[in-house]
Amino acid sequence: ATVTSGGGIRNEITILETNGGNAIVDSGIGPHIILVQDTSNNVSIQTAGGDNACPLTSDVNECGCSQTNQTEYRGWINETAGGLTCQAWDSQHPHSHDTTPQDHPNSGLEGNYCRNPNNRDGGSWCFTTSTREWDYCNVPKCIYDEVLVVNAGG
């Protein structure tokens, strides 16, 4: 199926289940989402849990979704919000840790980029090369975009 956003951006999604006017879909990033169509043909996006989901138009290299604590973020920010340089995830110096690419193979732990492999509430973070062990990063939050068209026919 194809979803077209208010900005005209088209995103391919997989419909997992339909129930009346609702469709549970997999956008390929973040949690499964539900597209809810009301009687006026307006469509809203929700997670399977009922909260707002990441927008289908979000770019995981540019922003992270608050609803998933930015666990899907795969961008190139490599310093903390306070300006400290991030330590490489596969390095044990200056801080030894068990948050390694081997222990978290699906978390994008590459180089020294900010990530959230253990779903910390504050979002993306990293170990630092300074005396402070770790800190949160200033990863932009994704902006929602209204979905205007749902074409389940593909």
Side-chain angles (χ1 to χ4, degrees), residues 64-76:
C65 297
S66 300
Q67 292 72 18
T68 59
N69 295 321
Q70 300 184 331
T71 55
E72 78 293 338
Y73 173 69
R74 296 296 183 268
W76 300 278

Side-chain angles (χ1 to χ4, degrees), residues 130-151:
S130 75
T131 56
R132 183 178 181 114
E133 183 179 18
W134 70 272
D135 201 358
Y136 289 108
C137 300
N138 193 18
V139 171
K141 292 181 175 44
C142 296
I143 298 172
Y144 292 87
D145 195 354
E146 181 183 359
V147 173
L148 297 179
V149 177
V150 176
N151 178 2

Side-chain angles (χ1 to χ4, degrees), residues 14-74:
T14 302
I15 297 179
L16 302 176
E17 176 183 337
T18 58
N19 180 9
N22 300 342
I24 298 177
V25 301
D26 183 354
S27 64
I29 62 170
H32 295 319
I33 58 176
I34 302 172
L35 300 177
V36 181
Q37 188 169 14
D38 65 19
T39 56
S40 300
N41 291 325
N42 296 316
V43 177
S44 62
I45 304 174
Q46 298 177 327
T47 64
D51 297 327
N52 285 333
C54 295
L56 292 176
T57 56
S58 67
D59 183 345
V60 297
N61 295 320
E62 300 293 328
C63 61
C65 297
S66 300
Q67 292 72 18
T68 59
N69 295 321
Q70 300 184 331
T71 55
E72 78 293 338
Y73 173 69
R74 296 296 183 268

Side-chain angles (χ1 to χ4, degrees), residues 69-71 115-116 118-125 134 136-137:
N69 295 321
Q70 300 184 331
T71 55
R115 299 290 186 260
N116 191 2
N118 49 8
N119 199 23
R120 289 186 179 175
D121 288 339
S124 293
W125 61 277
W134 70 272
Y136 289 108
C137 300

